[in-house]
Amino acid sequence: MHGITLTTRPSDWEIIQQENGFGSVLLEGSYQVHPAAIEVGVENVRPVYRVMNENDNTCVIPWTEMDHQTNPDFSGVFSHTAKIPAGGLYRIETSLDTKSTVPEVSWLYRGDTALHIGVGNLFLIAGQSNSAGHSWDYALDPPTLGVHLFRNRGVWDLATHPMNESTGGGSLPNEEMGIPGVSPYLSFGRNFQNLSRCPVGLVQTALGGSPLSRWLPESGDLYQNMLNRIALTKGNYAGILWYQGCSDTDPDNAPLYYERFCRMVESLRKSLGYDIPFFTFQLNRQVDGLHDECWGIVREAQRRAAKEIPGVYILPTVNCSISDGIHNSAHANVMLGEKLAKLCAHILYGQESFFAPELSGAVLEEPKVLKLTFANMRLGFVMYSGAGENSGFSMADEDGEIIIESLHSPRECRNTLYLHLSREPKPDALLSFCSGANPTMVPPVDEVTYLPPLAFDRIPIFKN
């Protein structure tokens, strides 16, 4: 074929990771002048490319010569790395600029084209069912140009639910046994694109029901699949979107969660050669779930990881509605995607802070009054209920459970909660928040973000 033939180019719908506002795109291939031009006479040829904005057809990069080698018959090969500004969607056009020996005659011959290309941010989706998407009810969450998905079949496409469908994917480790549904990450992509003003690429590797052991470097098939997907899609990623832990809420695995998660993060960063950020969620709930104490251990490990590992961030989910006994509802996932986008916009683009309240102090001010202070408060607490039984807080010492009778948050101390106790606690008393399998649906929430405090497990208290 005459003109330009591309052998290396971005795939249609591909999202290129931007670095400092630009994405690098490798264009390689061959070219051949049309035989009719050879008969007339050719003086020289130049393979060129340009980048066009698909929205209004304006030219982003005008016709630019590519690095090339030309043969005596005016055929040749080229290899060129183009620097394209963050944004899109773009189309990348190529052409063969041919000057004839006939005075003032030149032609732009045809060339291959790459369509619907975005330069923005790549995120890898990892974890289990609430990450893969197992909401089987419905909510408005439409596909959006500029939010694209690297499907399990190995091609880029417009992102739609269900993201973890496996048509043509072959035998992948993250192939679902059943039919996946709505996940938080289409909503995340749409909202993060609005906040960053850059396209978003999503790469799905999550699998329903997968324990953390399958994500460990030494033996985890899902860990290796994650590396394989990253290699296929190239470029440094903006972050990992991680939501996992329900399958580790048993006495054997819950105590190991923190150490295993740290090991996974450290190993992945070492394999990639950079400290990729992790954007995570704490566990939601399971109705009639077993091992209450193990749910608290895993949520505490998740909170600790975000507190102690640089570049790990977390949002709570304990006030989310569910679509069955354990999976977030579609409406909850749409909401979580929006909130996660705000957190990522703060971390990656320096936009407005969006952290969840986190316990910073627990002091017994009076024999039966415990004062809690919280960091990351935007305003005051919204109190759905002042009843202790609805609060999500629990407390125990060597004599057993201490009933929390009521709680309140004074307007003049907006980062403070007061818990009123049934009796004075002993020195060994420990405080927990949302530590069971099915904690309260009505925790206090920040008045601006409507985020509840991060769950914590068995924290010591102090006396004035």
Side-chain angles (χ1 to χ4, degrees):
M1 180 179 288
H2 70 276
I4 297 286
T5 299
L6 286 169
T7 55
T8 302
R9 68 173 183 89
S11 301
D12 293 348
W13 300 100
E14 184 170 347
I15 303 299
I16 311 298
Q17 177 64 44
Q18 61 86 23
E19 299 286 345
N20 300 316
F22 290 87
S24 296
V25 173
L26 179 62
L27 302 174
E28 292 182 323
S30 60
Y31 54 91
Q32 175 67 57
V33 176
H34 195 284
I38 298 291
E39 292 180 10
V40 173
V42 174
E43 183 176 316
N44 60 62
V45 296
R46 299 185 312 139
V48 294
Y49 79 96
R50 70 175 178 178
V51 178
M52 305 293 288
N53 189 317
E54 288 187 331
N55 189 50
D56 60 8
N57 286 296
T58 54
C59 187
V60 178
I61 298 177
W63 289 117
T64 300
E65 184 174 352
M66 294 187 281
D67 300 328
H68 62 282
Q69 294 179 342
T70 302
N71 300 318
D73 64 353
F74 298 104
S75 67
V77 294
F78 60 90
S79 180
H80 186 85
T81 298
K83 296 289 187 182
I84 301 177
L89 298 177
Y90 301 131
R91 70 175 178 271
I92 302 173
E93 299 179 351
T94 62
S95 179
L96 189 60
D97 185 5
T98 304
K99 183 178 181 182
S100 173
T101 54
V102 177
E104 299 180 357
V105 175
S106 63
W107 293 92
L108 282 173
Y109 286 109
R110 63 146 305 279
D112 290 348
T113 299
L115 301 171
H116 322 314
I117 307 300
V119 177
N121 294 288
L122 289 171
F123 294 91
L124 186 129
I125 300 168
Q128 59 182 118
S129 53
N130 277 319
S131 200
H134 278 239
S135 300
W136 294 304
D137 57 339
Y138 61 91
L140 182 63
D141 196 19
T144 303
L145 285 175
V147 180
H148 301 172
L149 175 67
F150 189 71
R151 294 196 176 273
N152 284 338
R153 71 194 72 159
V155 297
W156 281 99
D157 195 3
L158 186 67
T160 62
H161 296 301
M163 291 188 178
N164 209 32
E165 59 86 19
S166 54
T167 305
S171 298
L172 289 175
N174 65 310
E175 180 182 358
E176 298 284 349
M177 292 180 65
I179 299 174
V182 175
S183 89
Y185 299 118
L186 183 55
S187 169
F188 164 81
R190 181 173 58 253
N191 283 281
F192 190 68
Q193 178 178 226
N194 290 339
L195 292 168
S196 66
R197 300 187 181 277
C198 289
V200 172
L202 301 169
V203 180
Q204 172 66 275
T205 67
L207 175 65
S210 56
L212 185 50
S213 59
R214 293 184 65 181
W215 296 92
L216 295 180
E218 58 271 16
S219 59
D221 58 338
L222 293 172
Y223 179 88
Q224 189 57 53
N225 182 60
M226 184 165 51
L227 287 178
N228 292 341
R229 295 277 117 173
I230 292 173
L232 281 172
T233 48
K234 303 180 290 294
N236 288 356
Y237 274 56
I240 304 290
L241 308 178
W242 176 263
Y243 195 174
Q244 189 276 338
C246 296
S247 291
D248 290 86
T249 54
D250 62 78
D252 292 331
N253 291 297
L256 303 175
Y257 194 91
Y258 178 79
E259 182 273 330
R260 285 175 170 176
F261 182 80
C262 291
R263 185 147 42 97
M264 180 194 67
V265 171
E266 181 181 1
S267 177
L268 184 63
R269 287 175 170 175
K270 184 177 180 180
S271 295
L272 297 180
Y274 62 99
D275 289 343
I276 188 169
F278 276 71
F279 299 98
T280 72
F281 288 118
Q282 271 188 318
L283 294 185
N284 188 358
R285 70 187 66 248
Q286 182 178 14
V287 178
D288 298 327
L290 303 175
H291 309 302
D292 268 0
E293 72 283 358
C294 294
W295 285 77
I297 291 170
V298 171
R299 290 195 192 101
E300 173 65 15
Q302 293 169 330
R303 184 187 74 89
R304 278 187 61 201
K307 192 176 184 68
E308 297 174 8
I309 306 174
V312 175
Y313 309 95
I314 194 163
L315 290 177
T317 67
V318 291
N319 61 338
C320 289
S321 59
I322 51 181
S323 64
D324 56 20
I326 196 170
H327 298 112
N328 296 332
S329 70
H331 281 94
N333 277 338
V334 171
M335 175 194 70
L336 287 178
E338 179 180 357
K339 292 181 183 297
L340 188 64
K342 291 179 180 179
L343 173 61
C344 286
H346 169 63
I347 299 301
L348 299 178
Y349 282 84
Q351 296 185 17
E352 190 174 12
S353 177
F354 198 82
F355 293 114
E358 183 166 9
L359 183 71
S360 58
V363 177
L364 195 67
E365 284 210 332
E366 299 177 21
K368 296 194 292 183
V369 178
L370 185 63
K371 178 184 178 181
L372 307 182
T373 54
F374 292 84
N376 303 326
M377 290 293 297
R378 293 283 293 276
L379 199 55
F381 279 108
V382 173
M383 304 291 296
Y384 297 105
S385 172
E389 63 184 359
N390 295 328
S391 68
F393 292 96
S394 58
M395 196 171 179
D397 60 15
E398 62 184 15
D399 291 341
E401 183 182 7
I402 303 169
I403 302 299
I404 297 170
E405 296 181 335
S406 63
L407 71 164
H408 77 282
S409 177
R411 294 297 296 176
E412 64 273 14
C413 301
R414 292 181 169 183
N415 68 332
T416 303
L417 283 174
Y418 287 93
L419 306 186
H420 300 273
L421 312 177
S422 61
R423 62 176 174 85
E424 183 175 0
K426 295 290 182 67
D428 68 333
L430 299 174
L431 177 71
S432 298
F433 175 65
C434 290
S435 62
N438 190 17
T440 178
M441 276 291 293
V442 287
V445 297
D446 181 271
E447 195 171 328
V448 175
T449 64
Y450 270 72
L451 291 170
L454 291 171
F456 56 84
D457 189 55
R458 290 175 288 185
I459 301 297
I461 67 170
F462 301 92
K463 289 189 176 182
N464 262 347

